Amino acid sequence: MSQINELTTTLGFSLEDEVLVLQALTHSSYVNTHVGECDNERLEFLGDAVLALLCSETLYTMFPALNEGQLSRLRAYLVREATLALIAKRFNIALYMRLGKSAAGSGGHERPRILAGCVEALLGAAFLCGGVLRARQLFVLLYREHLAEATELWAEADAKSALQELAPESVRYALLEASGPDHDRSYRTEVFVKGFSQGVGEGKSKKQAEQAAAFVALRNLRSNK
C-alpha cells in the first residue's frame, strides 16, 4: 500500500477519492514546477468555510449554556492555525504533502501555515466527496482530542458556567472568609452541589474565589463518575 493509500484509508476516504486527497496535500510551490497539477488553495478556501460550520454546530450542541461570545472564543481556539498544525502533526500530514524544492528545502513541511492549509483542504475534499455528512465524520476524527481539550479549557475559563451546566439549579456558593487590608483582600468560598460541599476556592475577589471553587467541584464531580 502506497503512502497516499495509507492516509486515504486512515482519514476514511475511499480509494476513488485519492486524486482529490492528493490535491488537498499539494502546495502551490509544487505546481510551479509540475505542469498540469492542481494546488490545494481552492480546497483550502472551501474547507475553511466547512470547518467554521462544523465547529459552530458542534460547540452549539456541546455547550447549550454558552452565549454567542463564549462560543466564538472556543471556535477561534479550534480553528486557529496552531490547532490545525497540531492536528496535521498528529496525523503525520507532512509525510504526504507535495511541496516545491524551494519550499521543502526551507522547512516548508514544518510551517504551521502550510500544515493548517492542508487540514482545511482535506475537509474541503471530504465535503466534495460526501457533503456535510462526510465532512463531519472527518472533522470528528481530526478533532476528537481537541474537542475534549476545549471542554477542559472552558471549565478552566468559566468554571461557574460549566458547573451550572452540569448541575442546573442545584449550585450554591458560601463565603467562608474575607481577609487582608481593603486594597489587597482575599476571599475563600465554598461551593455546594445538591446540598453537599464539593470544593473550596480562593481569590482576590468574590468572583475569583467562586470560579476557583467551581473548578475544584468540577474536578471532584468528574473524578467520582
Side-chain angles (χ1 to χ4, degrees):
M1 182 181 287
S2 69
Q3 282 193 334
I4 192 63
N5 286 159
E6 292 176 6
L7 182 65
T8 298
T9 302
T10 298
L11 298 182
F13 288 94
S14 67
L15 295 181
E16 289 76 16
D17 301 328
E18 193 170 285
V19 172
L20 203 55
V21 172
L22 197 59
Q23 181 183 341
L25 301 168
T26 302
H27 189 250
S28 57
S29 62
Y30 183 88
V31 175
N32 292 336
T33 55
H34 293 77
V35 179
E37 296 284 356
C38 295
D39 64 39
N40 64 1
E41 291 184 353
R42 283 170 54 84
L43 285 175
E44 182 182 346
F45 166 79
L46 176 61
D48 177 69
V50 171
L51 176 59
L53 171 63
L54 294 175
C55 270
S56 299
E57 175 194 45
T58 301
L59 294 173
Y60 182 89
T61 303
M62 285 178 64
F63 301 104
L66 301 195
N67 61 35
E68 179 186 4
Q70 294 163 334
L71 290 170
S72 294
R73 286 193 290 275
L74 275 181
R75 183 180 61 189
Y77 163 77
L78 290 174
V79 304
R80 65 178 183 164
E81 183 179 288
T83 300
L84 287 165
L86 286 174
I87 290 171
K89 290 178 180 178
R90 182 155 54 88
F91 284 87
N92 296 315
I93 298 297
L95 294 177
Y96 312 98
M97 293 191 315
R98 299 197 296 179
L99 278 65
K101 289 184 178 180
S102 177
S106 60
H109 286 89
E110 296 296 323
R111 290 182 191 170
R113 177 68 188 88
I114 295 177
L115 291 168
C118 285
V119 174
E120 289 180 329
L122 285 166
L123 284 164
F127 179 81
L128 292 179
C129 291
V132 174
L133 178 61
R134 175 68 193 95
R136 187 183 291 114
Q137 291 171 342
L138 180 58
F139 170 80
V140 171
L141 174 66
L142 296 175
Y143 269 92
R144 183 174 292 121
E145 292 184 11
H146 289 281
L147 286 172
E149 185 179 28
T151 302
E152 288 297 317
L153 283 173
W154 171 244
E156 293 183 24
D158 193 346
K160 286 184 67 176
S161 294
L163 181 60
Q164 194 67 44
E165 181 180 334
L166 187 66
E169 301 180 2
S170 63
V171 179
R172 180 175 64 85
Y173 296 90
L175 180 63
L176 297 178
E177 182 183 7
S179 60
D182 290 341
H183 68 278
D184 190 23
R185 300 285 279 175
S186 292
Y187 299 86
R188 291 182 70 245
T189 296
E190 186 171 14
V191 61
F192 296 84
V193 178
K194 296 182 179 179
F196 295 93
S197 175
Q198 292 293 346
V200 174
E202 299 183 8
K204 289 298 183 181
S205 68
K206 292 179 181 179
K207 183 177 180 180
Q208 284 183 3
E210 289 178 355
Q211 286 281 8
F215 183 68
V216 173
L218 282 171
R219 287 292 175 88
N220 288 338
L221 289 169
R222 286 170 177 160
S223 64
N224 292 332
K225 283 187 176 181

